[in-house]
PDB file of all heavy atoms in Angstrom:
ATOM      1  N   PRO A 475     -15.698  15.589 -30.932  1.00 45.00           N
ATOM      2  CA  PRO A 475     -15.465  16.521 -29.840  1.00 45.00           C
ATOM      3  C   PRO A 475     -14.001  16.887 -29.673  1.00 45.00           C
ATOM      4  O   PRO A 475     -13.671  17.939 -29.154  1.00 45.00           O
ATOM      5  CB  PRO A 475     -15.970  15.762 -28.600  1.00 45.00           C
ATOM      6  CG  PRO A 475     -15.829  14.324 -28.966  1.00 45.00           C
ATOM      7  CD  PRO A 475     -16.091  14.257 -30.445  1.00 45.00           C
ATOM      8  N   GLY A 476     -13.098  15.982 -30.096  1.00 48.00           N
ATOM      9  CA  GLY A 476     -11.669  16.240 -29.935  1.00 48.00           C
ATOM     10  C   GLY A 476     -11.313  16.407 -28.466  1.00 48.00           C
ATOM     11  O   GLY A 476     -12.083  16.068 -27.574  1.00 48.00           O
ATOM     12  N   ILE A 477     -10.140  16.969 -28.192  1.00 45.00           N
ATOM     13  CA  ILE A 477      -9.734  17.274 -26.828  1.00 45.00           C
ATOM     14  C   ILE A 477      -9.659  18.784 -26.691  1.00 45.00           C
ATOM     15  O   ILE A 477      -8.877  19.425 -27.386  1.00 45.00           O
ATOM     16  CB  ILE A 477      -8.365  16.644 -26.500  1.00 45.00           C
ATOM     17  CG1 ILE A 477      -8.445  15.127 -26.667  1.00 45.00           C
ATOM     18  CG2 ILE A 477      -7.930  16.995 -25.092  1.00 45.00           C
ATOM     19  CD1 ILE A 477      -7.116  14.437 -26.477  1.00 45.00           C
ATOM     20  N   PRO A 478     -10.485  19.379 -25.832  1.00 49.00           N
ATOM     21  CA  PRO A 478     -10.460  20.836 -25.677  1.00 49.00           C
ATOM     22  C   PRO A 478      -9.056  21.336 -25.353  1.00 49.00           C
ATOM     23  O   PRO A 478      -8.296  20.675 -24.644  1.00 49.00           O
ATOM     24  CB  PRO A 478     -11.427  21.067 -24.492  1.00 49.00           C
ATOM     25  CG  PRO A 478     -12.334  19.874 -24.519  1.00 49.00           C
ATOM     26  CD  PRO A 478     -11.485  18.732 -24.981  1.00 49.00           C
ATOM     27  N   ASP A 479      -8.706  22.525 -25.857  1.00 52.00           N
ATOM     28  CA  ASP A 479      -7.374  23.084 -25.658  1.00 52.00           C
ATOM     29  C   ASP A 479      -6.996  23.171 -24.184  1.00 52.00           C
ATOM     30  O   ASP A 479      -5.853  22.919 -23.797  1.00 52.00           O
ATOM     31  CB  ASP A 479      -7.283  24.475 -26.286  1.00 52.00           C
ATOM     32  CG  ASP A 479      -7.340  24.410 -27.815  1.00 52.00           C
ATOM     33  OD1 ASP A 479      -7.081  23.316 -28.362  1.00 52.00           O
ATOM     34  OD2 ASP A 479      -7.648  25.440 -28.438  1.00 52.00           O
ATOM     35  N   ALA A 480      -7.985  23.512 -23.338  1.00 49.00           N
ATOM     36  CA  ALA A 480      -7.698  23.677 -21.913  1.00 49.00           C
ATOM     37  C   ALA A 480      -7.266  22.375 -21.255  1.00 49.00           C
ATOM     38  O   ALA A 480      -6.590  22.379 -20.219  1.00 49.00           O
ATOM     39  CB  ALA A 480      -8.925  24.238 -21.193  1.00 49.00           C
ATOM     40  N   PHE A 481      -7.678  21.225 -21.864  1.00 47.00           N
ATOM     41  CA  PHE A 481      -7.338  19.924 -21.292  1.00 47.00           C
ATOM     42  C   PHE A 481      -6.040  19.357 -21.839  1.00 47.00           C
ATOM     43  O   PHE A 481      -5.528  18.368 -21.331  1.00 47.00           O
ATOM     44  CB  PHE A 481      -8.466  18.909 -21.545  1.00 47.00           C
ATOM     45  CG  PHE A 481      -9.735  19.201 -20.814  1.00 47.00           C
ATOM     46  CD1 PHE A 481     -10.943  18.665 -21.263  1.00 47.00           C
ATOM     47  CD2 PHE A 481      -9.744  20.005 -19.685  1.00 47.00           C
ATOM     48  CE1 PHE A 481     -12.121  18.926 -20.582  1.00 47.00           C
ATOM     49  CE2 PHE A 481     -10.916  20.281 -19.007  1.00 47.00           C
ATOM     50  CZ  PHE A 481     -12.108  19.740 -19.456  1.00 47.00           C
ATOM     51  N   GLN A 482      -5.509  19.959 -22.889  1.00 46.00           N
ATOM     52  CA  GLN A 482      -4.334  19.399 -23.559  1.00 46.00           C
ATOM     53  C   GLN A 482      -3.158  19.122 -22.610  1.00 46.00           C
ATOM     54  O   GLN A 482      -2.519  18.078 -22.716  1.00 46.00           O
ATOM     55  CB  GLN A 482      -3.884  20.316 -24.698  1.00 46.00           C
ATOM     56  CG  GLN A 482      -4.797  20.306 -25.919  1.00 46.00           C
ATOM     57  CD  GLN A 482      -4.699  19.013 -26.722  1.00 46.00           C
ATOM     58  OE1 GLN A 482      -3.845  18.181 -26.468  1.00 46.00           O
ATOM     59  NE2 GLN A 482      -5.590  18.858 -27.681  1.00 46.00           N
ATOM     60  N   PRO A 483      -2.841  20.008 -21.676  1.00 47.00           N
ATOM     61  CA  PRO A 483      -1.681  19.751 -20.803  1.00 47.00           C
ATOM     62  C   PRO A 483      -1.816  18.506 -19.944  1.00 47.00           C
ATOM     63  O   PRO A 483      -0.828  17.990 -19.437  1.00 47.00           O
ATOM     64  CB  PRO A 483      -1.619  21.019 -19.925  1.00 47.00           C
ATOM     65  CG  PRO A 483      -2.352  22.050 -20.701  1.00 47.00           C
ATOM     66  CD  PRO A 483      -3.434  21.316 -21.416  1.00 47.00           C
ATOM     67  N   TYR A 484      -3.057  18.023 -19.771  1.00 44.00           N
ATOM     68  CA  TYR A 484      -3.275  16.898 -18.880  1.00 44.00           C
ATOM     69  C   TYR A 484      -3.241  15.554 -19.598  1.00 44.00           C
ATOM     70  O   TYR A 484      -3.444  14.502 -18.982  1.00 44.00           O
ATOM     71  CB  TYR A 484      -4.623  17.054 -18.158  1.00 44.00           C
ATOM     72  CG  TYR A 484      -4.673  18.304 -17.316  1.00 44.00           C
ATOM     73  CD1 TYR A 484      -5.255  19.475 -17.804  1.00 44.00           C
ATOM     74  CD2 TYR A 484      -4.116  18.334 -16.049  1.00 44.00           C
ATOM     75  CE1 TYR A 484      -5.285  20.632 -17.036  1.00 44.00           C
ATOM     76  CE2 TYR A 484      -4.145  19.480 -15.270  1.00 44.00           C
ATOM     77  CZ  TYR A 484      -4.735  20.616 -15.765  1.00 44.00           C
ATOM     78  OH  TYR A 484      -4.766  21.756 -15.001  1.00 44.00           O
ATOM     79  N   PHE A 485      -2.998  15.561 -20.900  1.00 44.00           N
ATOM     80  CA  PHE A 485      -2.994  14.319 -21.665  1.00 44.00           C
ATOM     81  C   PHE A 485      -1.690  14.171 -22.420  1.00 44.00           C
ATOM     82  O   PHE A 485      -1.099  15.135 -22.893  1.00 44.00           O
ATOM     83  CB  PHE A 485      -4.178  14.289 -22.647  1.00 44.00           C
ATOM     84  CG  PHE A 485      -5.504  14.232 -21.955  1.00 44.00           C
ATOM     85  CD1 PHE A 485      -6.158  15.404 -21.606  1.00 44.00           C
ATOM     86  CD2 PHE A 485      -6.077  13.022 -21.626  1.00 44.00           C
ATOM     87  CE1 PHE A 485      -7.364  15.365 -20.942  1.00 44.00           C
ATOM     88  CE2 PHE A 485      -7.284  12.972 -20.956  1.00 44.00           C
ATOM     89  CZ  PHE A 485      -7.936  14.142 -20.620  1.00 44.00           C
ATOM     90  N   SER A 486      -1.243  12.903 -22.525  1.00 46.00           N
ATOM     91  CA  SER A 486      -0.006  12.630 -23.256  1.00 46.00           C
ATOM     92  C   SER A 486      -0.256  12.761 -24.753  1.00 46.00           C
ATOM     93  O   SER A 486      -1.390  12.873 -25.211  1.00 46.00           O
ATOM     94  CB  SER A 486       0.483  11.219 -22.935  1.00 46.00           C
ATOM     95  OG  SER A 486      -0.395  10.266 -23.489  1.00 46.00           O
ATOM     96  N   SER A 487       0.821  12.708 -25.523  1.00 44.00           N
ATOM     97  CA  SER A 487       0.701  12.852 -26.979  1.00 44.00           C
ATOM     98  C   SER A 487      -0.064  11.699 -27.600  1.00 44.00           C
ATOM     99  O   SER A 487      -0.548  11.797 -28.716  1.00 44.00           O
ATOM    100  CB  SER A 487       2.098  12.935 -27.606  1.00 44.00           C
ATOM    101  OG  SER A 487       2.851  11.783 -27.282  1.00 44.00           O
ATOM    102  N   THR A 488      -0.202  10.592 -26.861  1.00 43.00           N
ATOM    103  CA  THR A 488      -0.907   9.416 -27.397  1.00 43.00           C
ATOM    104  C   THR A 488      -2.395   9.451 -27.083  1.00 43.00           C
ATOM    105  O   THR A 488      -3.145   8.590 -27.528  1.00 43.00           O
ATOM    106  CB  THR A 488      -0.310   8.120 -26.832  1.00 43.00           C
ATOM    107  OG1 THR A 488      -0.385   8.166 -25.396  1.00 43.00           O
ATOM    108  CG2 THR A 488       1.153   7.976 -27.244  1.00 43.00           C
TER     109      THR A 488
END
Side-chain angles (χ1 to χ4, degrees):
I477 301 175
D479 291 341
F481 292 159
Q482 288 288 351
Y484 299 97
F485 294 89
S486 69
S487 58
T488 57

